[in-house]
Each structure stands twice: as C-alpha cells, then as structure tokens.
C-alpha cells in the first residue's frame, strides 16, 4: 500500500508529477484523497480506525476515506465505501460538497491533502455494514446538532453510539462520550462545515 502511486500537486492544485504514498507523507507532498460521510437528517457517522492501522489506530475518523491513485478519477474514490464499510453505492447516490485542503503534521509524517468531499444519505441499519477489519473496527454515530456544537468548540464531549466489531465477527455495543483526543486531528472546523452543509443543502 505504501508503494501505491498517487498524483502530486503544488499548492495551487496543479499536478506536477507522481510519487508513492510513502514519499508524499515523508516529504509533505500535496496529493488527493476521497472523503465520503454517511449522514441523514439526524445523525453523522464515523468509523473507528482499526487498532492494526499504522496511523491513528483506534481513533474516530471520516466514515469512509482513502487516497486516490494516479490513474483514478475522483469519482472512482467511491470504491472506498465498499472496501471499508461493505456498502455498495455508486457515485450517482452521493452529494458532492466540494474540495477542501487539509494539512496534518505529526512525528511520523507530513500529510498535505486535497480532499474531495462527498455525502451519502444513509437510511440503512447497522446490519448493512461489512467492515474490512484491517482498516475499520467499528461504526458509530452522533446527533447532528450535538456534533456541530462539539466541532465548533462549544462543548468538550460528544455522545456517540454504535458498534465495534471483533475479529471473530461478534460485535459489541458502543455508547460513550468522547473528546477531541479520540478523533483524527482534522483541519479546524472541517467537520462543523460538513454538518452545516448537510443541514442547509441536504435536509433543509
């Protein structure tokens, strides 16, 4: 996976070449990712990253996301939803929010991303998920209004509910409050902007 080839861009989103995933994270090169948030008029959904993941194991993250490979179109990123969550949806079923940029610097890497953001109106139940356990160990949700306040910094905890799945196929109920420390460190206000878009553009 670290040797997969991705497009490399300058800060103006002009392609300047290609590199491996390992190289872009090592050198802080700008590259593309695909984000798909599962939402409905009441909830926004998050994945629990597998404890086996090299980066941010066990933290809460975008419902489904991944790197776009050099030969892929942006729309091809919809495969991430099937790969990670087991949901078969196509690009006609999602709503395009737009593109944003995100830069995260940690001890292990410099992650500079142009993120193509999509939203899927999710009305199925928990049994519809078939998780890729090496990538995702659970799915949880939070109420939209509560999540908006939390990601705007107005509250310090967020109540989540859902399921964590175990290697043997069993699943355990998750109901707990979480803090920002339990989330992958997104660009400030990113998730709040996603929720605002959901409320204003999808479920008025």
């Amino acid at each position: 996976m670290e040797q997969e080839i991705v497009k490399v861009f300058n800060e103006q989103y002009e392609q300047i070449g290609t590199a491996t995933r390992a190289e872009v994270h090592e050198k802080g090169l700008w590259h593309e990712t695909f984000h798909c948030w599962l939402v409905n008029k009441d909830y926004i959904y998050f994945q629990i990253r597998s404890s086996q993941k090299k980066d941010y194991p066990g933290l809460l993250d975008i419902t489904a996301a991944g790197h776009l490979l050099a030969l892929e179109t942006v729309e091809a990123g919809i495969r991430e939803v099937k790969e990670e969550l087991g949901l078969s949806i196509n690009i006609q079923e999602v709503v395009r929010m737009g593109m944003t940029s995100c830069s995260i610097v940690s001890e292990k890497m410099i992650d500079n991303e142009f993120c193509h953001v999509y939203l899927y109106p999710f009305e199925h139940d928990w049994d519809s998920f078939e998780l890729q356990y090496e990538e995702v160990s659970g799915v949880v949700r939070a109420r939209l209004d509560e999540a908006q306040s939390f990601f705007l910094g107005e509250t310090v905890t967020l109540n989540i509910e859902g399921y964590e799945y175990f290697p043997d196929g069993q699943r355990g109920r998750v109901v707990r409050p979480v803090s920002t420390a339990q989330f992958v460190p997104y660009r400030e206000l990113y998730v709040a902007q996603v929720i605002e878009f959901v409320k204003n553009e999808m479920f008025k």
Side-chain angles (χ1 to χ4, degrees):
M1 189 172 284
E2 288 297 294
Q3 296 308 307
E4 291 176 339
I5 303 296
V6 299
K7 297 175 186 172
V8 174
F9 299 84
N10 61 20
E11 292 186 12
Q12 287 72 47
Y13 189 54
E14 299 164 335
Q15 187 179 348
I16 55 174
T18 59
T20 65
R21 279 181 57 165
E23 284 178 292
V24 297
H25 291 149
E26 181 184 330
K27 299 176 182 176
L29 304 174
W30 286 92
H31 56 288
E32 289 179 300
T33 56
F34 181 93
H35 294 183
C36 185
W37 292 93
L38 270 54
V39 296
N40 56 42
K41 60 182 174 45
D42 298 312
Y43 293 99
I44 183 168
Y45 290 74
F46 301 90
Q47 67 164 255
I48 304 173
R49 292 171 67 87
S50 169
S51 59
Q52 300 175 23
K53 294 280 285 183
K54 187 180 76 153
D55 305 314
Y56 310 114
L59 294 189
L60 295 164
D61 201 356
I62 300 149
T63 337
H67 288 73
L68 288 174
L69 304 181
L71 298 177
E72 286 186 312
T73 63
V74 172
E75 290 77 14
I78 198 74
R79 64 174 167 74
E80 293 288 348
V81 183
K82 176 67 174 176
E83 289 174 9
E84 295 189 350
L85 306 179
L87 296 177
S88 295
I89 63 176
N90 61 54
I91 200 70
Q92 284 74 39
E93 296 177 85
V94 295
V95 177
R96 185 175 187 273
M97 178 176 162
M99 189 180 75
T100 187
S101 59
C102 184
S103 184
I104 302 174
V105 179
S106 68
E107 293 177 10
K108 296 181 180 177
M109 64 177 178
I110 305 167
D111 197 9
N112 289 324
E113 299 181 356
F114 288 112
C115 314
H116 299 276
V117 185
Y118 289 80
L119 302 121
Y120 174 62
F122 181 71
E123 301 295 346
H124 309 293
D125 61 24
W126 298 102
D127 293 332
S128 58
F129 295 114
E130 292 181 21
L131 305 185
Q132 182 183 10
Y133 189 74
E134 305 78 34
E135 298 278 334
V136 182
S137 62
V139 178
V140 298
R141 68 185 184 184
R143 289 200 160 274
L144 273 182
D145 287 339
E146 292 180 17
Q148 188 170 36
S149 297
F150 175 76
F151 286 104
L152 286 172
E154 297 168 357
T155 55
V156 294
T157 59
L158 177 64
N159 293 311
I160 59 168
E161 62 173 1
Y163 289 95
E164 189 144 19
Y165 295 75
F166 302 103
D168 62 3
Q170 299 295 307
R171 69 184 186 186
R173 189 98 171 100
V174 174
V175 181
R176 64 173 183 261
V178 291
S179 69
T180 53
Q182 272 83 59
F183 285 87
V184 171
Y186 312 114
R187 177 176 61 76
E188 190 178 8
L189 299 183
Y190 167 50
V191 185
Q193 289 163 352
V194 169
I195 295 168
E196 184 176 5
F197 182 90
V198 171
K199 293 170 76 171
N200 293 339
E201 303 297 331
M202 293 181 67
F203 304 105
K204 294 180 182 177

